[in-house]
Amino acid sequence: MRRKVIAGNWKMFNDINESQNLISKLISGLNSETLKNEIIICPPFTSLSEAHKLIQNSVIKLGAQNLYFEDSGAFTGEVSARMLKSVGCEYVIIGHSERRTIFKEDDDLINKKIKKALSAGLKPIFCIGETLEERESGVTKNVVEKQLNLGLNSITEDNLERIIIAYEPVWAIGTGKTATPEQAQEVHEFIRSVIESKYSAQAAKVLIIQYGGSVKPDNAAALLSQKDIDGALVGGACLKAESFIQIIMAA
Ligand code: PGA
């Protein structure tokens, strides 16, 4: 049985005080029910170090929202994998649709970032997903397959084990529109089949595939009960401890 992995993508929300507050509420709200799942929070860079201290004695794990693929150098505004490791990150989100669209990240850059994260000992949460236009024109599977092939280019099966895939239909992110559990399941199953043909049946079987896009306490259980949905990448609803905990409970 695959474990359920619930990650909160804080995006550009929460200064240091707000981060401290949210984390203490989370820690006090978690109970033995929630322990069966893996819980990750991804605060902004400025709160990572403090978050790491606060989660020390809890089950919560730490992730960042981005990195740059070079080790160091004149790259104003960027943060390296080693820097993220040094503040206690275990995970890093790569290829989020906001990075792809607003910051023009392409599949090649995303592939470089995934490889760097892996070589530095970080676990990538690799995001893929189609736009509304692509869904409506019936090319969802082609888009997702291409993103998988390019993003995972030259990544070995050993390394794949350390990657989480997050399927996030772009039209569902921050819009309040969620894919139905059936729509999401269909794509998750397809992703698993692509991984099976690219790697092996075993690789596909153990792969964690999260769903993301307007996951809320009231739709989490239905999504997370689908056979190929192994967790959630939560944006808006992770900014309130109560709703994030309800989603974790639903898993
Ligand atoms: P949302 O964001 O839950 O607010 O739709 C999800 C994400 O961007 O990862």
Side-chain angles (χ1 to χ4, degrees):
M1 254 274 281
R2 292 181 296 267
R3 68 193 192 283
K4 293 270 194 260
V5 183
I6 311 294
N9 173 11
W10 291 17
K11 308 194 180 184
M12 199 172 74
F13 290 100
N14 293 332
D15 65 16
I16 194 75
N17 296 320
E18 291 157 344
S19 300
Q20 287 164 333
N21 256 324
L22 179 52
I23 293 169
S24 28
K25 281 193 192 148
L26 275 179
I27 291 175
S28 53
L30 294 175
N31 55 37
S32 54
E33 269 295 291
T34 53
L35 294 182
K36 289 174 228 143
N37 306 310
E38 189 164 336
I39 304 163
I40 306 166
I41 56 169
C42 304
F45 291 137
T46 46
S47 293
L48 288 173
S49 178
E50 179 65 12
H52 180 57
K53 287 182 205 139
L54 295 172
I55 61 174
Q56 278 304 303
N57 298 311
S58 82
V59 294
I60 302 173
K61 294 176 175 169
L62 191 64
Q65 299 173 21
N66 185 26
L67 54 64
Y68 193 57
F69 66 84
E70 294 287 357
D71 287 325
S72 60
F75 303 105
T76 303
E78 295 297 318
V79 171
S80 73
R82 195 170 63 87
M83 291 168 186
L84 296 180
K85 281 290 283 184
S86 75
V87 291
C89 287
E90 187 175 332
Y91 289 91
V92 58
I93 298 173
I94 297 179
H96 190 278
S97 79
E98 286 148 20
R99 301 290 325 167
R100 291 178 189 261
T101 45
I102 307 170
F103 301 99
K104 309 282 177 268
E105 294 194 5
D106 63 15
D107 294 301
D108 177 52
L109 176 63
I110 290 164
N111 175 248
K112 288 196 178 93
K113 290 184 175 196
I114 294 177
K115 285 195 270 198
K116 177 48 72 178
L118 290 167
S119 73
L122 288 164
K123 298 173 190 160
I125 299 177
F126 168 35
C127 304
I128 55 174
E130 80 288 2
T131 62
L132 184 59
E133 212 184 343
E134 290 163 340
R135 172 158 288 262
E136 285 174 346
S137 50
V139 294
T140 296
K141 289 182 180 169
N142 310 49
V143 170
V144 162
E145 184 167 15
K146 183 167 175 235
Q147 288 171 335
L148 282 172
N149 281 329
L150 298 175
L152 297 177
N153 183 28
S154 78
I155 287 167
T156 61
E157 185 163 335
D158 278 358
N159 276 323
L160 182 74
E161 278 172 28
R162 296 195 288 129
I163 299 179
I164 290 176
I165 307 268
Y167 167 60
E168 299 202 299
V170 179
W171 48 274
I173 296 177
T175 57
K177 277 190 215 155
T178 329
T180 63
E182 296 71 31
Q183 280 174 325
Q185 166 58 29
E186 188 189 352
V187 182
H188 280 236
E189 192 174 357
F190 174 72
I191 292 169
R192 217 176 283 292
S193 74
V194 173
I195 295 298
E196 174 160 354
S197 43
K198 229 176 127 53
Y199 294 92
S200 69
Q202 179 58 19
K205 190 169 154 223
V206 298
L207 180 72
I208 299 290
I209 311 175
Q210 295 177 317
Y211 170 79
S214 299
V215 176
K216 305 276 181 255
D218 61 2
N219 60 25
L223 286 160
L224 289 162
S225 63
Q226 297 295 313
K227 110 175 146 34
D228 288 294
I229 301 186
D230 311 310
L233 181 55
V234 186
C238 80
L239 297 172
K240 291 256 180 306
E242 305 74 51
S243 48
F244 193 50
I245 290 168
Q246 280 168 24
I247 292 170
I248 297 165
M249 302 280 277

